[in-house]
Amino acid sequence: TKVSGRGVGMDVVKTNIERLNGQVYIDSEYGKWTKLVLKLPLTLAIMKSLVIEKDGELYAVPLNTVVELVKATGEDLKYVDKKEVLVLREKVIPILDLSYAFHRSGSTNGNGYLVICDVEERTVALKVDRVLGQEEVVIKPLGEFLGNVGGIGGATIRGDGRVVLILDIPSLIRFTSAHIYR
């Protein structure tokens, strides 16, 4: 009908895209074809990520940095120079605890998972509580009010409305390097 046809739904799409500073163009020839052009700003990008949880907070780890996922067990966790490391196939990998990196009071038990990440010729294991799975996320910048937060590359909003911080692994390593690389 004229009240609730396709145009109403397209108007919702148009409004939301314009809210993101994007543009919508519609061109058609009656009875033959319709062309829709959606232009989104470059600040929006889609990235495959591994969604993890640490101390009740969700984080997204870019999948291109993830090498493997390991169940944390006490026998593989050691201490070298008072710093926790993972011994995996005779390789010593420093462990980066996100609770420590973001100054949160979190659990320090050996349960959970270690997400092995390889970036900038360095390997690091992120200590996490749970792995929720792989998702494609839309990257949104943090904005000028938050500025450049060490270790965070942006944020995304999940379907359930929760905000998920996207980890910038190279920046996170540099941000905490004084503590894990000495």
Side-chain angles (χ1 to χ4, degrees):
T1 68
K2 291 181 180 178
V3 176
S4 63
R6 289 178 194 86
V8 174
M10 287 305 297
D11 184 57
V12 171
V13 171
K14 181 180 183 277
T15 301
N16 285 324
I17 289 175
E18 287 175 346
R19 211 179 278 157
L20 296 170
N21 294 322
Q23 299 170 339
V24 178
Y25 301 104
I26 302 175
D27 190 15
S28 66
E29 187 174 321
Y30 183 76
K32 291 189 177 183
W33 55 269
T34 300
K35 178 182 176 182
L36 298 171
V37 178
L38 307 176
K39 292 188 176 184
L40 296 173
L42 288 176
T43 56
L44 294 179
I46 296 176
M47 168 184 71
K48 289 185 179 183
S49 66
L50 184 67
V51 179
I52 57 165
E53 182 178 347
K54 180 65 178 167
D55 303 324
E57 294 294 327
L58 296 181
Y59 300 95
V61 180
L63 208 53
N64 64 338
T65 64
V66 176
V67 176
E68 72 182 286
L69 187 62
V70 177
K71 178 77 173 145
T73 60
E75 58 207 36
D76 296 328
L77 303 178
K78 309 287 183 207
Y79 283 89
V80 173
D81 197 26
K82 298 183 183 178
K83 293 181 184 22
E84 194 172 27
V85 297
L86 168 69
V87 178
L88 182 67
R89 292 184 289 279
E90 298 181 15
K91 183 176 180 182
V92 177
I93 302 170
I95 293 176
L96 197 157
D97 190 335
L98 294 178
S99 299
Y100 181 75
F102 296 125
H103 306 289
R104 296 181 53 88
S105 58
S107 61
T108 57
N109 61 20
N111 298 331
Y113 295 91
L114 296 166
V115 179
I116 312 298
C117 297
D118 220 354
V119 289
E120 296 180 350
E121 300 179 11
R122 286 189 173 167
T123 303
V124 67
L126 302 178
K127 186 184 250 187
V128 302
D129 297 330
R130 281 190 332 150
V131 176
L132 283 90
Q134 180 180 329
E135 290 183 20
E136 286 189 347
V137 298
V138 177
I139 304 168
K140 303 245 348 159
L142 294 178
E144 62 186 65
F145 295 111
L146 292 177
N148 187 12
V149 179
I152 303 296
T156 190
I157 301 174
R158 296 186 79 203
D160 62 2
R162 287 184 74 177
V163 174
V164 177
L165 295 175
I166 300 170
L167 298 178
D168 178 1
I169 303 300
S171 171
L172 188 62
I173 290 172
R174 285 190 300 273
F175 180 65
T176 58
S177 65
H179 303 292
I180 62 172
Y181 294 110
R182 282 197 180 167

